[in-house]
Amino acid sequence: MGDSPANAPGAAARGRSRARARQCAQLRGARSAHWRPRASARACGDDSPPIVDRPPAGGARPTLTRMQPREATDTRTIEATGKGVVRAKPDLAVLKLGVTTQAEQPAEAVDQNAKRMSKVIAAVKAQGIPDTAIQTSELQLDRVTKWDEDLQTDVLVGYRATNVITVRSPVDTAVKVFDAGVAAGANTAGGLAFAVNDEKKYRREALAQATKVAVEDIEAVAKALGVNLAAVVQAEVVEAIEPPLYESQFFAMDHELAATPIVPGQLEITSRVRVRYTIKAP
């Protein structure tokens, strides 16, 4: 017996409800492999955003992902650079001894230079300096010219050969090495530098000091501003300053030399550190 006209609307509604239930079941079964329209998904009680759009041509199934909310970042920071200085007594001297010779022919200049430098190296080794502490740092041959007034041009008058060695010596032996090299024939010097063998130890102390100074400065600024610090977001070593180097030029003399006075003093090992803190949100 069919539905009466009065019951027709109710039957139609039940039919639509059953059709919608079948559609939702199909959508739920296929949600991990196919696209689902926004309207159909919400009609089934699923208010989450659609996972993907229509699959690309060719039937390839897309990778399903769900959007994540982007976290807000606080970029308010306070930055400061601290300086640390550690003083140390040098225990290592680095000095340069050179020989310069000049002759009319290049081979002659080089030969004279080689013989003279051999004597200098032998004298340095005689002071207890090992081969590993001696290194050739410069070897050069130059033309020597002289201005001729009559010709109004430079005229070649000879050749100059230069050979320089770098010697690493304990500070208490440096004077003997220096004077022995000069007495043996060294007639030029590039410079003298003082250093410490365990430089890393003093460098780390300077870095610790610099970091402490930077943090204390940041805390002082935060207190003056009435804000609270959150966390360190950056700590960077700014630069490293090498030990001081002073130049000394001299010439060997024929008469007996007095001991050359040197004053090592103290080295200043300096480090700088840049630190940045974030500020807590109010």
Side-chain angles (χ1 to χ4, degrees):
M1 183 176 178
D3 292 333
S4 63
N7 294 329
R14 287 193 295 275
R16 289 193 297 270
S17 177
R18 287 193 294 271
R20 185 179 299 110
R22 288 194 298 271
Q23 183 181 16
C24 290
Q26 293 173 354
L27 286 171
R28 285 192 291 270
R31 65 185 301 173
S32 63
H34 301 285
W35 70 284
R36 52 193 176 103
R38 184 185 298 271
S40 298
R42 290 183 176 176
C44 295
D46 188 353
D47 292 332
S48 61
I51 299 177
V52 295
D53 289 331
R54 291 181 182 274
R61 293 182 177 180
T63 301
L64 305 183
T65 58
R66 187 175 295 275
M67 298 295 293
Q68 298 294 333
R70 180 177 297 176
E71 296 182 359
T73 57
D74 189 351
T75 57
R76 299 183 307 162
T77 62
I78 300 177
E79 178 181 311
T81 300
K83 176 182 176 181
V85 179
V86 175
R87 292 174 175 81
K89 183 178 180 179
D91 55 11
L92 178 67
V94 181
L95 54 103
K96 293 183 178 182
L97 295 171
V99 172
T100 298
T101 55
Q102 183 172 326
E104 293 183 358
Q105 299 299 322
E108 184 182 359
V110 171
D111 183 64
Q112 292 179 8
N113 191 287
K115 292 178 179 179
R116 197 163 175 177
M117 177 54 79
S118 296
K119 294 179 180 180
V120 171
I121 294 175
V124 169
K125 290 181 179 180
Q127 305 305 314
I129 305 300
D131 289 339
T132 55
I134 304 173
Q135 182 181 29
T136 299
S137 55
E138 182 181 347
L139 188 62
Q140 192 169 334
L141 179 64
D142 299 307
R143 290 162 50 94
V144 179
T145 60
K146 179 181 179 181
W147 179 257
D148 190 301
E149 290 291 344
D150 296 332
L151 299 177
Q152 290 294 298
T153 186
D154 287 327
V155 177
L156 180 66
V157 295
Y159 294 85
R160 179 185 299 116
T162 302
N163 190 349
V164 179
I165 58 172
T166 299
V167 182
R168 299 174 66 87
S169 163
V171 170
D172 56 1
T173 311
V175 171
K176 295 180 180 179
V177 172
F178 188 89
D179 291 342
V182 172
N187 55 7
T188 60
L192 172 65
F194 295 105
V196 289
N197 281 304
D198 192 9
E199 185 179 349
K200 287 184 179 179
K201 170 187 174 182
Y202 300 103
R203 182 76 61 192
R204 288 168 182 166
E205 290 181 13
L207 287 171
Q209 286 187 16
T211 303
K212 182 179 179 182
V213 170
V215 172
E216 290 176 349
D217 287 349
I218 291 174
E219 291 174 345
V221 172
K223 182 177 181 181
L225 294 174
V227 296
N228 295 319
L229 300 175
V232 179
V233 293
Q234 182 184 17
E236 176 186 2
V237 177
V238 178
E239 62 181 2
I241 300 177
E242 297 299 325
L245 173 70
Y246 65 85
E247 298 292 328
S248 174
Q249 296 294 331
F250 64 94
F251 294 93
M253 303 184 68
D254 295 333
H255 58 78
E256 184 178 353
L257 293 171
T260 302
I262 62 172
V263 183
Q266 282 192 325
L267 289 178
E268 287 190 354
I269 300 173
T270 304
S271 294
R272 290 182 173 84
V273 176
R274 181 184 297 116
V275 179
R276 181 182 299 171
Y277 268 80
T278 55
I279 300 174
K280 286 184 179 180

